[in-house]
Amino acid sequence: MSTLPWYEDVSPGRGTLPPRAWYARSDAASLSLNGEWAFRLSPAADGHDDSFAAADFDASGWDGITVPGHWVLQGKDGAYGAPAYTNVVYPFPVDPPRVPSENPTGDHLRRFDLPGDWPATGGAVLRFDGVESCARVWLNGTELGEFKGSRLAHEFAVGRLLRARDNVLAVRVHQWSSGSYLEDQDQWWLPGIFRDVTLLHRPEGAPADFFVHASYDHAGGTGGLRVDCDVPGRVTVPELGLDLATGGTATVPVEPWSAEVPRLYEGELTAGGERIALRIGFRSVYVEDGVLKANGRRVLFRGVNRHEFHPERGRSLDLATMREDVELMKRHNINAVRTSHYPPHPAFLDLCDEYGLWVVDEGDLETHGFEELAWRGNPVDDARWTPALHDRAARLVERDKNHPSVVLWSLGNECGTGAGLTAMARWIRERDPSRPVHYEGDRSCADTDVYSRMYPTHAEVDEIGRRADEGPEARRGLPLVLCEYAHAMGNGPGGLSEYQRLFETHERCQGGFVWEWIDHGLVHPEYGYGYGGDFGEELHDGNFVCDGLLFPDRTPSPGLLEYKKVIEPVRIAAGEEPGTVSVTNGHDVADLAHLAFTWSFRADGEDLAEGLLEVPALPAGRSAAVRLPEPPAHPAGAETVWTVRAVLARATAWAPAGHEIAWGQITAAAPAAAPRTPAGARPARAADRITLGPGVFDARTGEPLAFGAVAVTGLRLDVWRAPTDNDEGAPWQPDVRYGTLWRTLGLHRMRHRTDEVRVGPDSLTVRSRVAPAGRDLGLAATYRWTSDGTALGLDVDVVPEGEWTVPLPRLGVRLGLPGTLDRVAWYGGGPGEAYPDTRAAARLGRWESTVAGLQTPYVRPQENGARIDTRWLELSGGTDGVRVAGDPAFWFTARRWTTEQLDAAAHGTDLVPGDVLWLHLDHAQHGIGSQSCGPGVLPVHRLSAAPASFSFTFTFTASGGQSA
Ligand code: GAL
C-alpha cells in the first residue's frame, strides 16, 4: 500500500497537530480565512501538478469560490459537477482503499495579510474545521501536510512560515479518498472546504490542550471542578469564588447543568500566556441500576437526529442557522440531539451548552455500504484501518470534551462490528471515563454502556421495557435508548404517542431520537427542491433524503408539531373528580414555576370565557388535581370544552413569554343531540334530471350536478389516497408495502357501476358497486339523498363484498366543486393536518384557512392535509358558499388537483391548481406508521374494509360565508 497516493492510503494524514479542545473565545488573536478564494476544478486527482502551491503562482485566471462551501453547489449551471445522494451504496466501485480515477479535485488558493495588530512574537496554527473528503495544504510554497476525516478539525503549526503580507495558502481537495469508505452516511456527497478556515495566534508556550472535569454530586448539592492542562496555570470562577491551580480539585455548592436548566458558570483558564474563557456546567452522567441518569435523576430523551443541512449551502452552516435549529428544537419541547452521523460544527455544541440540549456526539464514521457485500472488507474489522479509526475517535473526544451538553460519545453509525470499534471504545473509555459510550450496530453491547436500537416495533420496546427480552447477558442490565425511531419521511411519522407511552411507562426505556431533523431537499432550478436523482446521479436513493421534521426551508412540518405535543413535558388531562383538571409535571428536573396556566371555555367552538389557572409549582414527577372555575353561561345542548394551556411565564433565550409548552382539552358536555337529517321535500323527475330541494341530479347515474347555484361534479365513493412515503414502505419491508399492495389490487383505478337510481316519495336512492378491474372484490355503496327544501342530506352505506385482506387507504366520498371556493372555515380538529396515528396535536376548535393553506408541501407530493373530527365545514369564495355538517364527525381534504394528479406528481412544481376544487369527505383514514424505514401502522390504526354508514348535510349560500 505504500505505493498508493496519499489520498488513497489508509492513514489519517500527516503533519497535523494532535487534536485538542475547541474553544470559541480567548484573548488570542485570530484571523478568519473564510471568504472568496481562487478555485480550479479538475476531473481527476492528477489533472494538474502541484505547481499552483508555489508562492508566486498566478491564479488570476481562476474562478472565485466561497469558503466555506461545497464546490458542487457553487458552479454556474453545473460547471463544478453536481451533488449526489445515496443512502447505503457507495457511489464508486468498492475496492478499499482505492478510489476512482475520476476523482474531482478542487484546488483552492487564498492570499492574505496579517492584521496590523498581529502579535510580533509567538506561534500560530492554521485550523480547518471541516473539509470533504481530504486536503493537502501548503503555506507560502511549503507543504504542511494532509488530512482525512471530513467533519473533524485539523490544525497545522504555521508560525515559522507566516509573513506580514501576501501569504499564500494553497489547498488541494479530492472528492474521494480512502476516508470516503469511512464516511458512507446517508446524505448528499458534497465535496469542499465546507467549514471555517482560521489562523490562530498562539503565545510562546501556550497550552496544547486542557480538559475541564466538572461533576455534580446530587446528594450533597456540590460540584467538583478540576481543569487539567499540559502547562501549569490557574482557573478562576468568580461567581463561585474559585481560584485554583490547574490539576487541583475544588468542591463547592453549585447549581447543576441540565438540558432543562442549563446553568453555566463563567470561568477563565490562564496558562502559558493565554487566557481561555470557560463555560462550566456541573453535571454527572452515568448508568446506575440499569438506568441512565444525570445528576441522580433518570433522563428521558425527547430527541432528534440532526444532520447539518441547508437547502442552498449543504452542510456549510452559518451560526444563525445553527441557532435557528437550536431555538426551533427548544420551542418544540425537544431536549436532546444526536449529531448524526459526525461531530457537528463546534459552535453548535456551544449553543447546546447555552440553551440546554442533551447531546449524543457521534464520530465521523459509517461503513454501511459494506453491508451490501455481506460486510466483506469492512474497515472496522481490518487492523490496517485502526489508526484511522483511532484518529477519528480522538478528534471527536478531544475537540468536544469540555461541553457539558455532551453526555454520550457515539462511535459512529452502521459500521457492523469489528475490532476497530472495540479499540475506539477502549480508547474513549480510558480518555474520558465520565461519559457512557454509545453505538447501535453491535447488539452484543460489548463496547457500549447503553443498549441502543433503531426502529424497533412498539411491541419490542415494550418487551425490552419489561426486561422480558432475550439477549446477551452484557446488555440485560443496560438502559434502552432508541438512537433512531419514527421515520419522518413525508407524511408522518405515525405512532409517536404510543412510543411515548412506553417511554413513560418503563423506566428502562429512556426515550429516543426521531429520524430526522430536516429534509435534505436541495434548491433545484426546475423542481423547487430536488432530491436523489434530480441531479443526474447514476446511482441514487430518491427522496429517502427528505425525511425530516422540518421542510428544507426550516418550516416545521406537521410531524414536528405532532412531536412537540407528544413529548410535552407537562400532561394536562381530565381530573378524576368532575370539574377538575389533572396536571402532571413530566420534566426531568424542572418544577413548574417557569410556567403560567390558562383556561378557556368554548361552546360549539366559540370562545366564551378565559382566565388564569392557579397551578402549584409542582416538582418534577408530581401531579396535582386543580379545580376549574364554574362553567360560564352557555347555550343549552352545546358541545362544551375546557382548554388548559401551560405557557412560559417569562421570556427565555429561545421563546417569548406566553410561548405554549403543553395543553389539554377536557370535554365538559357532549352535544345534546345529533344533527337532524333534512327531510320532507319530494324529488321530481324531468327528462334527464331529478331535482330534490336544491339538488339537481343526473337521472341516469344519480350523480349530483348542482347544489343550488353551485356546480357539482364527480361525487362518488372514494377509497384511494396518493400513497405516502410510509404507505409505500422501504424496500426492506416487503410484506406490508401498502402502496404496492393497493396498486396491485387496483384501488387507484376503481370502477363505479350504477345498479339503481330510485326516486322514492321523499328521497333519491342510488345503489352502486365500486370495484377494480380484474378482481372479484368490491364495495357496495348506497347513497340516499333527502332534503327539507333548503338543505340536502346524504346517507352513505358501504358494504364490502369479497375477500378483503388489505386495509383501505381511506373511506369516504369525493366531489368536485367550483375552484373559486377558496376560503375554508371549520369546527373540528386543527389547525393542521391529522391522521389516525398523527392526531395528538389536533385540537378541537373553529379554524380558518385558504385552500392553498390546507396543503402540506411534502417535498415529494403525497396524501396530505386531512383535517380530523370535523363537525362542520364551510367553503366560500366568489358568490358561492357550501356548508357541510357530518354525522358522525368526518375528515376533510380540499385541493385544486385530483388524487390521481397528486399521486403522479414527483415535485411540488408538478401540481398546478385546476378549475375544480376536489373535496374529500372521509368517514375514515388508514394510519400512517413509519414504514418508510421502520415499523408500519399499528393494528388499531389500520382501516379494515367493514360495513360503514355515515351522513352529511349540505347547505348552500349564494353570497359566501353564512349558510342559508
Ligand atoms: C438509519 C440510518 C440513517 C438513515 C435512516 C433512514 O438506518 O442510520 O442514517 O439512513 O436509517 O433514513
Side-chain angles (χ1 to χ4, degrees):
M1 262 186 217
S2 54
T3 56
L4 291 177
W6 72 271
Y7 55 88
E8 285 191 301
D9 83 38
V10 295
S11 77
R14 186 174 56 82
T16 54
L17 290 166
R20 62 175 179 133
W22 186 87
Y23 51 92
R25 305 173 305 164
S26 82
D27 59 355
S30 72
L31 174 66
S32 168
L33 297 175
N34 295 345
E36 182 84 356
W37 289 46
F39 179 72
R40 171 181 70 184
L41 183 68
S42 314
D46 55 1
H48 292 278
D49 63 19
D50 50 19
S51 57
F52 82 104
D56 58 355
F57 183 81
D58 177 11
S60 55
W62 289 17
D63 291 347
I65 200 167
T66 301
V67 170
H70 305 278
W71 68 68
V72 289
L73 300 182
Q74 294 194 53
K76 272 207 192 67
D77 302 326
Y80 297 160
Y85 164 59
T86 61
N87 169 13
V88 176
V89 72
Y90 288 103
F92 46 78
V94 180
D95 181 23
R98 306 293 312 277
V99 298
S101 303
E102 296 146 84
N103 189 357
T105 293
D107 290 333
H108 300 68
L109 268 189
R110 161 88 198 224
R111 292 183 179 271
F112 63 94
D113 297 336
L114 291 181
D117 56 356
W118 194 263
T121 59
V125 302
L126 175 64
R127 178 180 180 88
F128 293 88
D129 281 312
V131 181
E132 186 164 327
S133 77
C134 64
R136 186 171 174 201
V137 186
W138 296 261
L139 182 63
N140 296 331
T142 301
E143 183 174 350
L144 301 176
E146 67 236 354
F147 59 81
K148 301 168 189 125
S150 299
R151 300 104 198 178
L152 299 167
H154 302 272
E155 289 182 325
F156 297 100
V158 295
R160 70 206 146 86
L161 296 172
L162 283 176
R163 43 198 193 213
R165 315 211 132 269
D166 211 25
N167 294 281
V168 186
L169 177 57
V171 184
R172 172 163 285 178
V173 179
H174 303 294
Q175 168 149 21
W176 308 120
S177 67
S178 64
S180 305
Y181 286 99
L182 305 180
E183 295 172 9
D184 190 29
Q185 294 96 343
D186 170 11
Q187 58 179 345
W188 295 100
W189 296 92
L190 296 173
I193 305 176
F194 72 99
R195 287 186 189 154
D196 308 298
V197 183
T198 319
L199 185 70
L200 293 153
H201 176 260
R202 306 297 318 272
E204 213 63 67
D209 197 12
F210 63 98
F211 197 161
V212 178
H213 305 274
S215 59
Y216 182 71
D217 172 9
H218 65 278
T222 52
L225 180 66
R226 188 185 85 234
V227 178
D228 292 335
C229 186
D230 58 301
V231 294
R234 293 208 71 78
V235 178
T236 53
V237 188
E239 198 182 338
L240 296 172
L242 283 182
D243 181 349
L244 73 158
T246 51
T249 304
T251 306
V252 278
V254 294
E255 292 170 47
W257 187 97
S258 68
E260 286 168 8
V261 188
R263 181 67 161 94
L264 291 172
Y265 292 87
E266 304 280 336
E268 191 171 72
L269 164 65
T270 317
E274 219 168 40
R275 285 172 39 212
I276 298 170
L278 305 177
R279 292 196 309 175
I280 302 165
F282 294 90
R283 53 120 197 81
S284 292
V285 208
Y286 45 88
V287 176
E288 186 180 65
D289 303 329
V291 177
L292 181 68
K293 294 181 179 172
N295 305 330
R297 308 190 67 117
R298 172 181 183 255
V299 181
L300 182 56
F301 291 129
R302 303 165 159 101
V304 288
N305 279 281
R306 175 181 180 269
H307 266 293
E308 295 183 306
F309 186 74
H310 185 280
E312 281 150 35
R313 298 193 301 272
R315 281 188 284 283
S316 193
L317 262 58
D318 58 1
L319 189 61
T321 306
M322 295 183 228
R323 189 180 294 278
E324 194 181 347
D325 277 351
V326 169
E327 292 186 354
L328 277 166
M329 287 178 193
K330 293 292 288 186
R331 283 186 218 135
H332 290 89
N333 292 333
I334 287 163
N335 73 356
V337 56
R338 172 175 177 234
T339 70
S340 54
H341 301 298
Y342 41 82
H345 187 288
F348 179 75
L349 297 177
D350 273 347
L351 295 169
C352 293
D353 291 346
E354 190 180 313
Y355 285 81
L357 285 169
W358 306 114
V359 176
V360 178
D361 197 1
E362 193 149 275
D364 190 4
L365 180 61
E366 173 158 342
T367 63
H368 203 178
F370 286 89
E371 187 172 25
E372 310 273 294
L373 314 166
W375 295 108
R376 280 188 309 279
N378 185 7
V380 305
D381 202 20
D382 177 338
R384 286 172 300 175
W385 292 82
T386 305
L389 301 180
H390 175 265
D391 184 68
R392 284 170 192 248
R395 286 186 190 279
L396 160 75
V397 171
E398 299 299 7
R399 194 195 74 169
D400 295 345
K401 58 187 179 283
N402 293 332
H403 289 283
S405 55
V406 174
V407 290
L408 291 176
W409 296 120
S410 178
L411 303 181
N413 185 58
E414 295 184 318
C415 294
T417 57
L421 291 167
T422 304
M424 290 172 82
R426 195 177 305 131
W427 182 87
I428 292 176
R429 283 174 164 157
E430 169 120 15
R431 176 65 177 137
D432 180 19
S434 80
R435 290 174 175 99
V437 172
H438 169 272
Y439 173 62
E440 182 271 345
D442 181 1
R443 294 282 172 86
S444 78
C445 293
D447 298 324
T448 66
D449 300 306
V450 294
Y451 176 24
S452 175
R453 292 289 302 276
M454 44 172 83
Y455 311 105
T457 60
H458 296 83
E460 196 182 1
V461 173
D462 185 44
E463 184 180 65
I464 298 170
R466 288 185 281 104
R467 301 189 191 269
D469 54 318
E470 305 278 300
E473 199 48 44
R475 86 169 185 222
R476 289 279 179 77
L478 300 184
L480 177 74
V481 170
L482 303 189
C483 69
E484 294 178 27
Y485 80 112
H487 198 243
M489 184 178 181
N491 187 334
L496 285 169
S497 298
E498 291 84 355
Y499 278 114
Q500 196 63 23
R501 214 168 292 141
L502 294 168
F503 303 155
E504 290 177 8
T505 305
H506 300 302
E507 188 184 46
R508 187 185 187 188
C509 300
Q510 300 202 249
F513 299 79
V514 165
W515 187 267
E516 68 177 303
W517 176 236
I518 183 168
D519 285 340
H520 309 209
L522 283 171
V523 165
H524 187 283
E526 203 179 324
Y527 301 143
Y529 291 114
Y531 45 79
D534 290 342
F535 297 89
E537 302 105 297
E538 181 183 62
L539 284 175
H540 67 82
D541 288 291
N543 68 318
F544 202 64
V545 78
C546 292
D547 52 1
L549 294 171
L550 294 179
F551 294 115
D553 66 358
R554 288 192 155 68
T555 316
S557 76
L560 182 56
L561 305 180
E562 176 78 0
Y563 195 39
K564 175 185 178 183
K565 171 66 179 146
V566 165
I567 58 178
E568 59 189 7
V570 180
R571 294 280 179 227
I572 298 167
E576 268 173 33
E577 248 186 75
T580 65
V581 55
S582 144
V583 177
T584 303
N585 180 359
H587 286 91
D588 291 336
V589 289
D591 66 21
L592 295 186
H594 64 294
L595 299 177
F597 287 77
T598 68
W599 62 266
S600 70
F601 185 85
R602 291 186 188 142
D604 290 336
E606 198 94 59
D607 261 322
L608 293 188
E610 57 185 36
L612 290 174
L613 192 68
E614 280 302 321
V615 173
L618 299 171
R622 296 300 253 308
S623 301
V626 180
R627 185 149 293 283
L628 289 161
E630 279 304 307
H634 56 272
E639 176 175 35
T640 53
V641 174
W642 295 97
T643 302
V644 173
R645 303 162 64 233
V647 302
L648 286 179
R650 287 168 296 280
T652 62
W654 42 271
H659 166 84
E660 186 177 276
I661 299 290
W663 58 273
Q665 286 189 314
I666 298 152
T667 303
R676 262 187 340 136
T677 311
R682 302 177 66 85
R685 184 194 281 262
D688 56 355
R689 297 280 184 272
I690 296 166
T691 52
L692 173 62
V696 181
F697 299 82
D698 182 310
R700 194 173 51 83
T701 63
E703 271 186 26
L705 302 172
F707 291 161
V710 182
V712 182
T713 178
L715 186 148
R716 42 177 55 174
L717 191 80
D718 195 9
V719 297
W720 181 236
R721 74 182 183 195
T724 64
D725 292 317
N726 285 312
D727 290 336
E728 295 288 11
W732 52 87
Q733 304 282 8
D735 300 337
V736 267
R737 299 185 63 197
Y738 292 117
T740 308
L741 292 180
W742 291 337
R743 273 185 233 276
T744 308
L745 202 57
L747 300 190
H748 59 310
R749 46 172 171 76
M750 298 293 261
R751 297 304 162 107
H752 298 254
R753 185 183 75 204
T754 308
D755 288 339
E756 188 186 13
V757 178
R758 193 174 70 233
V759 179
D762 58 358
S763 65
L764 166 67
T765 303
V766 181
R767 286 196 306 109
S768 71
R769 186 169 187 278
V770 182
R775 304 281 164 184
D776 63 355
L777 49 65
L779 300 155
T782 306
Y783 312 88
R784 184 169 177 273
W785 295 93
T786 56
S787 176
D788 58 5
T790 315
L792 270 176
L794 170 62
D795 296 322
V796 185
D797 289 304
V798 183
V799 180
E801 296 177 345
E803 283 273 318
W804 281 89
T805 52
V806 293
L808 297 172
R810 67 168 0 124
L811 182 67
V813 294
R814 84 168 185 191
L815 64 158
L817 293 168
T820 44
L821 294 167
D822 62 353
R823 288 198 307 276
V824 191
W826 75 99
Y827 172 39
E833 73 178 29
Y835 290 82
D837 52 353
T838 64
R839 55 165 302 159
R843 66 183 101 184
L844 184 63
R846 289 200 188 189
W847 308 104
E848 283 179 20
S849 178
T850 58
V851 168
L854 292 175
Q855 316 306 314
T856 309
Y858 293 114
V859 176
R860 185 191 73 82
Q862 52 196 276
E863 165 63 29
N864 73 84
R867 299 312 196 265
I868 199 174
D869 286 343
T870 314
R871 276 71 167 158
W872 55 255
L873 154 74
E874 283 174 5
L875 295 163
S876 59
T879 54
D880 299 331
V882 176
R883 185 182 209 268
V884 188
D887 180 24
F890 60 102
W891 313 68
F892 80 91
T893 311
R895 42 175 88 107
R896 296 268 298 279
W897 37 79
T898 60
T899 299
E900 290 71 19
Q901 287 167 323
L902 183 62
D903 190 18
H907 298 93
T909 45
D910 294 336
L911 294 170
V912 182
D915 294 340
V916 177
L917 174 72
W918 290 102
L919 177 65
H920 293 259
L921 305 171
D922 287 313
H923 177 59
Q925 280 267 1
H926 181 60
I928 296 293
S930 208
Q931 192 113 38
S932 54
C933 184
V937 176
L938 285 167
V940 20
H941 300 307
R942 284 180 206 153
L943 175 53
S944 304
S949 301
F950 45 97
S951 307
F952 304 104
T953 301
F954 299 88
T955 43
F956 320 97
T957 54
S959 58
Q962 293 308 304
S963 40

